[in-house]
Amino acid sequence: MSDRIMGGIGLALAAFYIWAATIIPESFMADVVGPATFPIIIGVIIAICSVWFILRPDPDPVWPSLNRLAEIGFAIAVCLLYAILLPKLGFLICTALAAGYMSWRLGGTPVGAVLTGIGLSVGIWVVFKLVLGLSLAVGPLGI
Amino acid sequence: MEFLSSLGVGFDAALTFSNLGIALIGAFLGTMMGALPGLGPANGVAILIPIAFSIGLGPLPSLILMTSVYYGAMYGGRISSILLNIPGDEPAMMTCLDGYPMARKGMAGEALSLSGIASFIGAIFATIGLALLAPQLVKIALLFGPAEYFALFTIAFATLGGISSTNQAKAAFAAAVGLAIAMIGVDTQTGVQRFTFGEVHLFDGIDFLIAIVGLFALSEVFIFLEHRGSGDHKEQGITSIGRVLAPWSMIRSCIPTFGRSTVIGFLAGVLPGAGASLGSFLSYSVEKQIVDPTGKTFGKGDPRGVAAPEVGNNAAAGGALVPMLALGVPGSGTTAVLLAVLLSLNITPGPLLFSQNPDVVWGLIAALFIANVMLLILNIPLVGLFSRVLLVPVHILMPLVAMVSFVGIYGISGSSFDLILMVIFGVVGWLFRKLDIPLVPVILGILLGNEMEVNLRRAMTLSDGDWLTLVGSPLSITLWALAIIGFVAPMIFGRKVKRAIAEESDEIAVGD
């Protein structure tokens, strides 16, 4: 069943992709093939494979239970929040929070998770910012 | 010999104090990444590319760092195989079969040092093979025109699913998705925007580093979250190591094994679609057929059963670099990631690389030799230290992986958009893994997509729009035939090979 759903999504994606390829604007520098042909070929391949998934699906994988799925959902949300808030709150704060959360959810004790979060954040900051000179997001604290 | 003088140039460039330091760091990091279950060579290199890129390492130092990590991970994979009966990465699976029983017999130290030596021998001879074979392949590649290149890229995609792939539709799907992503951004031929829908961040296309780090590293974090609590393998503790050197008699008894397995592994590496896993599998099976056909000692802690797969997978790792360097077409997941390293350094592998940037090619090959010697020196005495790494708990390791991934990607462009994109790739990577859709073709599609299209369009322009030009020369017809065979063969043999591998690994459980 999972494969069939994937096939359905794949078909929709392929249709969208091929449509998007047909609206690629004309250029004055056109060559024989043009900018749309190769993408359309790719879209067709995606569509063929998707149909195959629907016709000949593999056995279902073992999907995690609902609360496990929610767990992954929350982790994804945390990652997205991290991506959005990083420029505003800066590297140290964001990383401590995100790493702490993950550490807690991966089986660390609450106290251990807080320490892991802070430790990783400061550790990465020292190694990458101070030693390697990488630019990390600057937060309200000015570091 | 021409090859020796070229190699001399390479060593000249590579043997500086700072490069040796970088090789040491890379070898150390690589061994740790290989040893940790869940962090394979592809992941390790993927996380490090954006970082090497952001801190502004030059081409040769970056290459040295990445190849040391790559070879290091191949070395490291054996440590958890032997001590915990859990392969640190996929190619190290076969090492469990005899490595763990040896450890149970109290010979963990011997098994580790023997496999360290085996790794060294496999890798050194494969590197020599690479230095000899790649220039020959280049001579053939120089005959290629755009149509042949287009066919060659098709071979890469057709064979990437690998001989053990059971569902070729999924491999093809993955490759097409990767190609589709590569099309996003400005069309290099005409300058029009494709699939960007006015989003400024997409105008330059999606950086393949974002896709690689998201698909490989971040999705691993989600996998760990999913399996938390079920089957935590750290409980059984680590077997004590004992002596750190294998006795000479044991090494001597393995010398014929070294020879056979090097050849088998190297060939498996060179062939597209085979790679290190198959190299170690074939080496082990052939060795078993030759020295122990009745199954008396193999699987019960025979040193030769430890040596064969380790030689095999390291030789294959070297062999896989041949098509990657000479043709620009990688034969395995990790070499696809190494191709990404080269591309991000503005180095395009392929026949021209050998004539235009011989210093890079030979510097890289010299780097492989250096990395190997470093690894042998590091691995024999420090194996106790590396085995401690296995004790790092998941709830510290995985947040570290995630955060370092974010740091690397943020370092490239400093934009939230790229980070969000990486998270999306992480989710897609997790879904694809659940559905058994391979990730490597996606990466390869993103890496090679534009090059493939350019060659198609160049060929078509030359022929004035005649599609038959794609099969217009004996060379291209041969390449197409190979692509078709490569794609169809797994449908016939895939299940068989997979079953054979599964049967062998089942014996781990049975013999336990």
Side-chain angles (χ1 to χ4, degrees):
Chain A
M1 196 57 216
S2 303
D3 269 18
R4 294 214 161 109
I5 296 172
M6 186 66 215
I9 298 172
L11 270 184
L13 274 180
F16 173 74
Y17 195 77
I18 292 171
W19 167 77
T22 57
I23 60 160
I24 293 171
E26 288 288 317
S27 166
F28 59 93
M29 294 166 29
D31 58 346
V32 189
V33 176
T37 314
F38 191 62
I40 290 176
I41 297 174
I42 297 169
V44 171
I45 295 176
I46 295 182
I48 295 173
C49 294
S50 302
V51 170
W52 185 267
F53 293 165
I54 293 172
L55 294 179
R56 297 278 303 272
D58 283 346
D60 268 358
V62 182
W63 288 104
S65 59
L66 264 185
N67 55 2
R68 226 6 100 189
L69 274 182
E71 183 82 79
I72 294 170
F74 279 121
I76 294 167
V78 167
C79 287
L80 287 175
L81 272 179
Y82 180 85
I84 294 163
L85 291 178
L86 189 61
K88 298 188 185 74
L89 293 182
F91 174 80
L92 279 176
I93 298 174
C94 280
T95 306
L97 291 177
Y101 173 81
M102 283 188 196
S103 173
W104 175 49
R105 293 321 305 162
L106 282 163
T109 58
V111 178
V114 171
L115 292 179
T116 307
I118 296 172
L120 282 181
S121 174
V122 173
I124 294 176
W125 191 79
V126 167
V127 171
F128 288 100
K129 175 89 181 184
L130 298 185
V131 180
L132 295 175
L134 211 67
S135 69
L136 300 175
V138 177
L141 305 177
I143 48 172
Chain B
M1 261 169 93
E2 186 195 341
F3 140 78
L4 283 180
S5 68
S6 310
L7 199 57
V9 175
F11 271 108
D12 243 15
L15 275 176
T16 68
F17 192 69
S18 67
N19 283 349
L20 288 178
I22 287 172
L24 187 67
I25 295 172
F28 192 79
L29 285 176
T31 312
M32 289 210 292
M33 289 171 176
L36 290 164
L39 258 186
N43 286 336
V45 179
I47 299 174
L48 286 179
I49 306 173
I51 289 167
F53 191 64
S54 308
I55 60 177
L57 280 184
L60 192 58
S62 310
L63 275 181
I64 292 177
L65 178 67
M66 296 309 167
T67 47
S68 319
V69 172
Y70 173 50
Y71 269 27
M74 290 290 169
Y75 272 71
R78 75 189 206 284
I79 297 177
S80 56
S81 299
I82 292 172
L83 293 180
L84 296 177
N85 202 22
I86 298 164
D89 47 22
E90 202 195 339
M93 198 168 72
M94 306 307 290
T95 314
C96 290
L97 298 178
D98 277 283
Y100 187 62
M102 264 184 92
R104 294 284 291 265
K105 284 196 250 170
M107 298 201 296
E110 283 91 334
L112 284 168
S113 63
L114 178 68
S115 58
I117 294 165
S119 300
F120 177 77
I121 291 175
I124 280 288
F125 282 103
T127 311
I128 295 172
L130 161 71
L132 291 172
L133 187 63
Q136 307 309 316
L137 200 57
V138 162
K139 285 179 191 151
I140 302 173
L142 284 172
L143 303 172
F144 285 16
E148 283 80 9
Y149 264 106
F150 184 71
L152 185 67
F153 286 127
T154 316
I155 292 190
F157 288 116
T159 55
L160 206 61
I163 190 74
S164 60
S165 153
T166 41
N167 193 336
Q168 287 292 68
K170 286 189 168 166
F173 180 82
V177 167
L179 289 171
I181 294 169
M183 294 299 111
I184 296 170
V186 177
D187 173 28
T188 47
Q189 309 275 293
T190 59
V192 296
Q193 294 290 338
R194 296 193 291 184
F195 308 105
T196 57
F197 305 104
E199 173 62 59
V200 185
H201 290 104
L202 291 177
F203 281 10
D204 287 334
I206 292 176
D207 196 318
F208 48 74
L209 295 178
I210 299 172
I212 292 176
V213 177
L215 287 175
F216 283 153
L218 201 57
S219 71
E220 194 70 46
V221 177
F222 296 138
I223 294 271
F224 268 88
L225 267 175
E226 184 193 336
H227 293 295
R228 175 178 66 91
S230 59
D232 199 9
H233 39 67
K234 302 260 152 55
E235 298 143 12
Q236 57 202 87
I238 294 195
T239 327
S240 75
I241 287 173
R243 57 182 296 170
V244 292
L245 262 182
W248 170 240
S249 59
M250 185 190 280
I251 298 171
R252 201 180 43 202
S253 73
C254 290
I255 287 176
T257 311
F258 291 154
R260 287 188 287 265
S261 302
T262 302
V263 176
I264 296 169
F266 182 73
L267 290 178
V270 173
L271 290 175
S277 304
L278 196 72
S280 66
F281 169 71
L282 281 179
S283 306
Y284 184 86
S285 330
V286 170
E287 196 58 29
K288 190 176 174 183
Q289 285 300 320
I290 291 176
V291 298
D292 183 30
T294 51
K296 280 201 193 81
T297 55
F298 266 56
K300 301 189 180 71
D302 190 314
R304 288 165 299 189
V306 177
E310 274 305 309
V311 174
N313 84 39
N314 284 276
L321 289 171
V322 173
M324 198 274 274
L325 281 177
L327 305 174
V329 176
S332 71
T334 319
T335 41
V337 178
L338 281 176
L339 175 68
V341 178
L342 292 169
L343 292 177
S344 67
L345 295 166
N346 268 330
I347 300 165
T348 311
L352 292 179
L353 181 64
F354 281 74
S355 49
Q356 288 171 352
N357 299 59
D359 51 327
V360 172
V361 177
W362 294 102
L364 171 69
I365 291 172
L368 291 173
F369 280 111
I370 295 171
N372 243 312
V373 175
M374 289 264 180
L375 280 164
L376 186 68
I377 298 171
L378 267 182
N379 263 276
I380 298 297
L382 290 184
V383 72
L385 180 69
F386 287 120
S387 65
R388 298 243 150 244
V389 173
L390 297 174
L391 295 171
V392 174
V394 170
H395 60 89
I396 294 180
L397 178 69
M398 280 297 139
L400 177 67
V401 171
M403 291 304 133
V404 172
S405 309
F406 277 114
V407 168
I409 295 302
Y410 189 80
I412 302 176
S413 64
S415 84
S416 274
F417 183 86
D418 288 351
L419 294 181
I420 295 172
L421 210 53
M422 183 183 91
V423 178
I424 296 173
F425 274 113
V427 177
V428 171
W430 178 74
L431 272 178
F432 275 24
R433 282 187 193 204
K434 291 303 288 180
L435 291 169
D436 226 0
I437 298 174
L439 295 176
V440 173
V442 182
I443 300 292
L444 201 63
I446 300 176
L447 285 175
L448 298 179
N450 288 310
E451 200 60 23
M452 188 169 179
E453 188 194 13
V454 165
N455 277 297
L456 171 68
R457 284 162 80 169
R458 229 176 252 157
M460 295 299 285
T461 306
L462 288 176
S463 75
D464 219 11
D466 180 9
W467 287 91
L468 286 177
T469 185
L470 294 179
V471 286
S473 72
L475 198 53
S476 61
I477 293 173
T478 315
L479 292 172
W480 280 107
L482 286 175
I484 293 169
I485 294 171
F487 190 74
V488 175
M491 296 186 193
I492 303 164
F493 303 113
R495 272 166 217 286
K496 232 183 210 165
V497 175
K498 200 157 201 173
R499 203 179 310 132
I501 294 180
E503 268 166 20
E504 290 282 7
S505 359
D506 278 349
E507 286 173 17
I508 307 175
V510 176
D512 206 11

